[in-house]
Amino acid sequence: MKIMHGELTMYQPLPINKLDYADPFLLLHHHGPMTFEPDNAGLPFGPHPHRGFDTVTFIYEGNVVHHDSRGHKSTIEKGGVQWMSAARGIVHSENTSRDFQDAGGAFEIIQLWVNLPSSLKMSEAKYQGIQKDEIPEIIENDGKVKVQIVSGNWNGTKGPANSKTGIIAANIYMKAGGKIELPHFANHKAILYQRAGKASLNGESIIDRQMLYFESEEKMILEAQEDAAVLLCLGASINEPMTSQGPFVMNTKSEIIEAMRDYQMGKMGVLKD
């Protein structure tokens, strides 16, 4: 589904009509790829609250400036990742840098929302800003496959992001003819989103901007029919009741009401310059 949000072009493979969420993954928004003109207005994501889940922003082109009510402020450039665990509550804003707004340029990001179990929903909020050179890469299949490991452990290589729930997240870049076996674990689910190119999973073709959701217990082979870029995320199923209202994701409606009240009372903090 394609959505226009101000100057921003957004694709939303999750949620869609037949899939409200993909436990433990709640939402996937793909912004771009697109080009911002000079003297642009930046991103339309002014101060807003979250509670009960993690937001993960993968930056493929351009940059993202993060600012939150817990005192974190950073600019993450192309190839980096922002991992924010909203947990008990946080207010943040996301925009591009002033230089990018003045000059314009190529822009592409993906934001993923990852649910937290009830035992962690009221834990302390946390933010991690990770630049490209902090993310390890492994090369496989005689150089035809490159895997950038953002979080979790991929065959002994550990990503820098510290997920509270042990999420494995990786960007996979494949040349035509490249092939790789994906990690698989009991009681884990996986989402695979094709950003660009053409590939297949166990022989099933994946089209551009398509997301697959599947059990992570079986052997899965990803193969590129042409150069391709894929985001892969794996996580343990939470299997708990879930209810949401805008930026809040909790287990019960009364917890949602409490989140709204806490935000209005300033308990999630206030953004300060």
Side-chain angles (χ1 to χ4, degrees):
M1 178 170 60
K2 182 178 179 180
I3 302 170
M4 296 302 297
H5 198 322
E7 297 181 72
L8 200 58
T9 302
M10 184 182 83
Y11 297 88
Q12 180 178 291
L14 182 71
I16 55 177
N17 290 338
K18 295 182 180 180
L19 187 64
D20 290 333
Y21 67 102
D23 187 17
F25 306 105
L26 302 169
L27 171 149
L28 193 154
H29 282 170
H30 183 192
H31 302 278
M34 61 175 293
T35 300
F36 277 90
E37 297 297 324
D39 300 317
N40 63 81
L43 301 180
F45 306 130
H48 58 281
H50 292 296
R51 173 178 280 183
F53 60 97
D54 291 357
T55 70
V56 187
T57 306
F58 303 89
I59 300 148
Y60 300 106
E61 294 285 354
N63 60 39
V64 175
V65 179
H66 168 95
H67 187 194
D68 69 47
S69 58
R70 303 302 181 190
H72 305 111
K73 190 170 186 179
S74 68
T75 300
I76 303 301
E77 303 291 343
K78 173 181 176 178
V81 175
Q82 295 180 333
W83 197 299
M84 186 183 78
S85 184
R88 67 191 303 169
I90 198 167
V91 178
H92 78 142
S93 66
E94 297 161 295
N95 207 336
T96 51
S97 68
R98 173 54 60 186
D99 287 346
F100 184 88
Q101 292 173 40
D102 290 343
F107 186 81
E108 181 183 8
I109 67 172
I110 285 178
Q111 185 163 100
L112 177 70
W113 290 10
V114 184
N115 200 13
L116 290 172
S118 56
S119 60
L120 292 174
K121 284 187 180 293
M122 296 301 286
S123 60
E124 290 294 329
K126 182 178 180 181
Y127 169 78
Q128 302 165 79
I130 303 162
Q131 302 289 5
K132 179 181 178 180
D133 60 7
E134 301 175 70
I135 301 174
E137 297 179 352
I138 59 173
I139 306 298
E140 298 195 4
N141 198 196
D142 297 324
K144 292 183 178 180
V145 178
K146 178 174 70 176
V147 182
Q148 295 176 333
I149 304 155
V150 174
S151 68
N153 190 311
W154 186 301
N155 295 334
T157 300
K158 191 176 185 303
N162 182 19
S163 163
K164 289 186 176 185
T165 54
I167 298 295
I168 296 173
N171 283 297
I172 305 173
Y173 297 89
M174 310 178 72
K175 296 179 181 178
K179 183 185 296 186
I180 186 171
E181 180 178 347
L182 304 182
H184 48 279
F185 304 94
N187 192 40
H188 276 54
K189 299 291 179 65
I191 56 170
L192 186 148
Y193 178 70
Q194 183 144 319
R195 285 177 46 226
K198 184 180 294 185
S200 62
L201 187 65
N202 282 7
E204 179 183 345
S205 294
I206 314 167
I207 62 174
D208 191 26
R209 298 191 181 94
Q210 180 183 13
M211 190 197 83
L212 301 182
Y213 174 53
F214 53 92
E215 299 284 346
S216 176
E217 300 183 10
E218 301 178 6
K219 183 176 180 178
M220 292 287 185
I221 302 296
L222 182 67
E223 185 171 5
Q225 281 68 54
E226 59 183 47
D227 291 358
V230 170
L231 173 65
L232 175 71
C233 298
L234 301 90
S237 300
I238 294 176
N239 294 323
E240 292 180 351
M242 189 196 78
T243 186
S244 64
Q245 181 68 46
F248 307 125
V249 180
M250 302 300 288
N251 297 99
T252 67
K253 290 191 179 297
S254 62
E255 289 172 336
I256 293 291
I257 294 170
E258 181 182 13
M260 292 177 176
R261 183 174 64 246
D262 286 350
Y263 168 59
Q264 292 167 355
M265 294 176 64
K267 290 186 177 181
M268 297 182 187
V270 178
L271 272 187
K272 297 179 181 179
D273 292 333

